[in-house]
Amino acid sequence: MNEEEFRTVLLKKIDMNNRLQALNLVKDRPSLKEKIEALSSLGIGPTEIADILGTTPGYVSVAISRLKKGQKKEELAESSSLVEPEMKKQED
């Protein structure tokens, strides 16, 4: 085996190890969306997540987009609940 072949084999084994570790991290998450959220938070891209979980990159991208929209709505709700008490104090 020459150096280039060795490098290719080594990279494939490292990739497989990373995938197995990623699966192990999310194995107890009940839903696919929670698994996607966890893997995405680790910086893994939609294509890699799809490969790891056996779904399509499109599904993963949509799930990530919806998660981000949901987080934005929660942030807005939290910030508005912080503003409302201050406004009520000024009205009194």
Side-chain angles (χ1 to χ4, degrees):
M1 180 182 301
N2 67 31
E3 188 175 330
E4 187 63 33
E5 291 171 332
F6 175 77
R7 185 178 213 187
T8 301
V9 169
L10 182 61
L11 288 175
K12 284 182 181 181
K13 288 186 179 196
I14 290 171
D15 183 56
M16 178 61 73
N17 184 45
N18 290 342
R19 290 170 187 268
L20 290 172
Q21 286 182 354
L23 274 174
N24 191 44
L25 285 172
V26 298
K27 69 180 180 189
D28 295 330
R29 305 275 175 148
S31 73
L32 185 58
K33 288 181 182 178
E34 288 176 332
K35 291 176 184 180
I36 291 169
E37 181 178 24
L39 293 173
S40 177
S41 72
L42 295 173
I44 301 173
T47 302
E48 287 180 283
I49 293 172
D51 288 343
I52 291 167
L53 298 178
T55 187
T56 64
Y59 181 86
V60 173
S61 294
V62 169
I64 291 170
S65 177
R66 288 182 179 165
L67 287 166
K68 287 179 182 178
K69 286 179 184 176
Q71 289 171 350
K72 286 181 184 176
K73 285 181 183 178
E74 288 175 9
E75 289 172 5
L76 287 173
E78 286 176 11
S79 65
S80 67
S81 68
L82 294 174
V83 172
E84 287 178 17
E86 292 176 12
M87 291 174 59
K88 288 180 182 178
K89 287 180 186 176
Q90 290 175 356
E91 290 174 1
D92 293 340

